């Protein structure tokens, strides 16, 4: 197994965002620039705003910010909070920490609810808290906490928050929207954010946000400072078919193409292709003797716990250098202990097979006792059969 063979493979970015771009996206990004105040762009802009509503599964407007996902998280906060508001922040990893921090900077009174890394929040804990603090303005949570690979029970949290008229459920769906079902209206989500470089198969640079009717009452009166992310201004501009500021034309043109691809295939079928990648990965890493880090694993990525004698940082660098494929490692308390394989973006079956092969081969290189080469070949053949028989 010489590394030069593997380097002949095209580069594969299997991070949980950014992800491999769709070939159609790469073509569009190479086109000449057009102005954002043109009839040509107006049509595209109107269409993507309609199509985004189908992905968010909402009747409400979806707004496009030129920002990374974090900007969209800030937008949800500054558009709903006022200084002194009480916020219940579910913190189960790096992104939860970031959002709680941001809410503090918005001068909210933040009650941090810590959940051990790798676990999902218990909805009963949230219900109990809200019963004794019914004036809580917002519950903040990730749908998928990308640093641990956990999917939180958003449907249950939506049911709970909907019983409290003063409380909004704000959801960071950056690795969930477009990756697995998260119907905003049906699940009573009050604020939802998504990001372009995750399930949307685009480069980094756009975030998408939407607010429920319940949330709009607070959007109108929120006192947190906002200008760039003021969705009232964006809404007004959108009503005239325009964006508040210069639109990120190439990204939005590429988005138009991605939305067309997803919606032509059908949202359920699209979710199924991502779930299948996640299932294949979960089954075969466990067959190899590894375990999953997340107790409630998300379909958008798989976080894999490594044998204790394996340095995860070295492992992922070795895979990148020798096999031309990128996984992510762990952060903070999970640093060196896990690798994370993303299932979003443009991924061929051949890459799913290679991802498992490369992972276990690289561990074998560090500890030849851990698995035999015959078992590696056996698993790889079995995975190919699994993929063929689970289209
Ligand atoms: C990627 C990610 C973000 C942050 O996105 P940026 O685009 O890097 O700002 C936030 N939340 C979650 C859950 C993510 O996966």
């Amino acid at each position: 197994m010489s590394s030069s063979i593997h380097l002949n493979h095209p580069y594969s970015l299997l991070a949980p965002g950014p992800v491999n771009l769709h070939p159609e996206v790469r073509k569009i990004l190479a086109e000449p620039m057009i102005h954002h105040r043109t009839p040509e762009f107006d049509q595209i802009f109107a269409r993507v705003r309609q199509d985004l509503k189908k992905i968010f599964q909402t009747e409400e407007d979806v707004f496009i910010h030129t920002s990374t996902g974090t900007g969209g998280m800030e937008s949800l906060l500054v558009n709903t909070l006022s200084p002194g508001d009480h916020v219940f922040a579910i913190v189960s990893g790096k992104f939860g920490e970031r959002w709680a921090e941001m809410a503090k900077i918005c001068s909210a009174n933040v009650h941090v609810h810590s959940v051990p890394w790798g676990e999902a929040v218990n909805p009963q804990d949230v219900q109990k808290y809200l019963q004794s603090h019914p004036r809580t303005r917002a519950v903040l949570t990730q749908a998928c906490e990308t640093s641990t690979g956990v999917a939180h029970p958003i449907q249950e949290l939506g049911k709970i928050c909907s019983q409290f008229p003063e409380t909004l459920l704000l959801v960071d769906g950056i690795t969930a929207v477009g990756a697995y079902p998260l119907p905003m209206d049906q699940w009573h989500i009050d604020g939802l954010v998504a990001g372009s470089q995750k399930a949307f198969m685009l480069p980094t640079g756009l975030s998408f946000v939407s607010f429920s009717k319940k949330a709009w009452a607070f959007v109108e009166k929120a006192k947190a400072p906002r200008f760039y992310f003021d969705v009232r201004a964006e809404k007004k501009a959108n009503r005239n078919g325009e964006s508040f500021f210069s639109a990120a034309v190439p990204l939005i043109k590429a988005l138009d193409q991605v939305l067309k691809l997803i919606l032509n295939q059908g949202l359920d079928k699209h979710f199924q292709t991502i779930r299948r990648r996640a299932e294949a990965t979960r089954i075969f890493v466990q067959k190899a003797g590894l375990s999953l880090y997340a107790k409630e694993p998300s379909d958008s990525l798989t976080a894999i716990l490594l044998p204790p004698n394996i340095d995860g940082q070295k492992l992922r660098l070795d895979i990148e250098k020798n096999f031309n494929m990128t996984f992510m490692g762990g952060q903070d308390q999970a640093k060196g202990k896990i690798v994370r394989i993303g299932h979003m973006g443009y991924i061929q079956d051949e890459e799913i097979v290679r991802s498992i092969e490369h992972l276990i081969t690289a561990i074998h290189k560090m500890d030849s006792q851990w698995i035999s080469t015959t078992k590696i070949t056996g698993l790889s053949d079995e995975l190919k059969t699994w993929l063929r028989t689970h289209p």
Side-chain angles (χ1 to χ4, degrees):
M1 223 179 249
S2 103
S3 59
S4 60
I5 293 171
H6 291 288
L7 287 173
N8 287 336
H9 288 297
Y11 173 64
S12 180
L13 177 54
L14 298 187
V19 301
N20 289 329
L21 300 180
H22 195 285
E24 294 293 324
V25 166
R26 294 169 58 171
K27 268 192 232 156
I28 290 168
L29 294 176
E31 290 174 1
M33 186 67 183
I34 59 165
H35 197 278
H36 57 281
R37 312 265 185 238
T38 51
E40 185 186 353
F41 183 71
D42 286 350
Q43 275 192 1
I44 295 169
F45 190 54
R47 191 161 55 227
V48 296
R49 283 182 292 121
Q50 278 312 106
D51 286 351
L52 278 171
K53 291 164 67 141
K54 297 176 192 153
I55 307 289
F56 274 60
Q57 296 179 269
T58 183
E59 295 294 318
E60 304 303 324
D61 294 326
V62 179
F63 303 102
I64 303 172
H65 293 306
T66 307
S67 77
T68 74
T70 306
M73 293 163 76
E74 183 162 328
S75 172
L76 291 194
L77 299 188
V78 296
N79 282 298
T80 55
L81 298 183
S82 295
D85 276 355
H86 291 269
V87 166
F88 182 82
I90 296 166
V91 174
S92 64
K94 285 302 279 180
F95 292 106
E97 281 171 17
R98 180 183 294 180
W99 220 8
E101 185 60 33
M102 223 188 267
K104 280 180 200 155
I105 289 166
C106 292
S107 304
N109 278 311
V110 181
H111 176 92
V112 169
H113 179 69
S114 294
V115 175
W117 282 43
E119 291 180 21
V121 67
N122 178 353
Q124 255 63 59
D125 293 345
V126 181
Q127 172 134 29
K128 265 185 234 143
Y129 182 84
L130 292 180
Q131 274 160 353
S132 50
H133 303 81
R135 299 197 63 100
T136 302
R137 171 64 63 248
V139 170
L140 309 185
T141 188
Q142 277 49 54
C144 166
E145 174 49 78
T146 318
S147 60
T148 66
V150 162
H152 286 294
I154 303 301
Q155 186 173 14
E156 284 72 17
L157 294 178
K159 269 187 207 143
I160 292 165
C161 293
S162 70
Q163 297 156 7
F164 296 88
E166 293 288 316
T167 308
L168 303 176
L169 175 61
L170 304 184
V171 176
D172 167 0
I174 295 176
T175 42
V177 177
Y180 61 84
L182 194 73
M184 175 172 150
D185 291 358
Q186 202 189 324
W187 287 6
H188 307 289
I189 297 169
D190 295 306
L192 185 58
V193 51
S196 57
Q197 81 273 30
K198 311 274 169 109
F200 291 85
M201 294 182 264
L202 298 172
T204 313
L206 298 178
S207 68
F208 315 116
V209 297
S210 186
F211 297 86
S212 70
K213 286 199 175 59
K214 181 178 170 186
W216 269 101
F218 297 98
V219 171
E220 300 297 348
K221 59 187 185 199
K223 298 261 181 336
R226 51 181 158 163
F227 183 82
Y228 188 73
F229 291 125
D230 191 337
V231 289
R232 294 169 304 175
E234 193 65 44
K235 185 178 185 175
K236 212 156 121 197
N238 286 183
R239 211 176 289 136
N240 300 322
E242 292 178 348
S243 52
F244 187 17
F245 304 111
S246 303
V249 172
L251 291 175
I252 292 174
K253 278 169 57 186
L255 172 65
D256 184 34
Q257 181 63 40
V258 167
L259 294 172
K260 212 176 286 171
L261 287 165
I262 294 176
L263 294 169
N264 282 347
Q265 187 183 33
L267 204 49
D268 289 341
K269 185 77 187 73
H270 172 73
F271 291 150
Q272 157 60 19
T273 62
I274 296 175
R275 190 181 320 124
R276 172 174 172 272
R277 296 168 191 158
E279 274 172 6
T281 306
R282 292 192 289 246
I283 293 170
F284 281 86
V285 294
Q286 292 183 94
K287 275 182 190 279
L290 296 164
S291 51
L292 306 181
Y293 183 66
K295 297 212 170 75
E296 304 291 338
S298 158
D299 286 341
S300 43
L301 75 145
T302 301
I304 300 149
L305 193 60
L306 297 167
N309 59 332
I310 299 296
D311 177 341
Q313 294 302 105
K314 271 199 195 134
L315 185 81
R316 65 164 290 276
L317 289 173
D318 179 62
I319 292 166
E320 200 160 69
K321 178 160 159 271
N322 293 311
F323 301 122
N324 216 17
M325 180 172 271
T326 296
F327 301 154
M328 288 315 287
Q331 296 154 292
D332 286 1
Q333 54 178 280
K335 195 173 176 136
K337 296 182 186 155
I338 64 172
V339 289
R340 294 174 296 147
I341 302 182
H343 307 307
M344 299 166 292
Y346 187 74
I347 302 173
Q348 308 289 91
D349 278 4
E350 170 268 328
E351 288 166 276
I352 303 175
V353 175
R354 287 205 292 122
S355 69
I356 303 295
E357 267 178 20
H358 297 341
L359 175 67
I360 55 187
T361 305
I363 300 175
H364 171 81
K365 270 166 63 185
M366 289 182 175
D367 176 5
S368 60
Q369 302 297 306
W370 180 74
I371 197 167
S372 67
T373 43
T374 358
K375 182 144 188 227
I376 298 179
T377 319
L379 280 175
S380 173
D381 290 341
E382 204 185 324
L383 173 53
K384 284 175 197 155
T385 308
W386 190 95
L387 290 167
R388 250 196 326 274
T389 52
H390 297 75

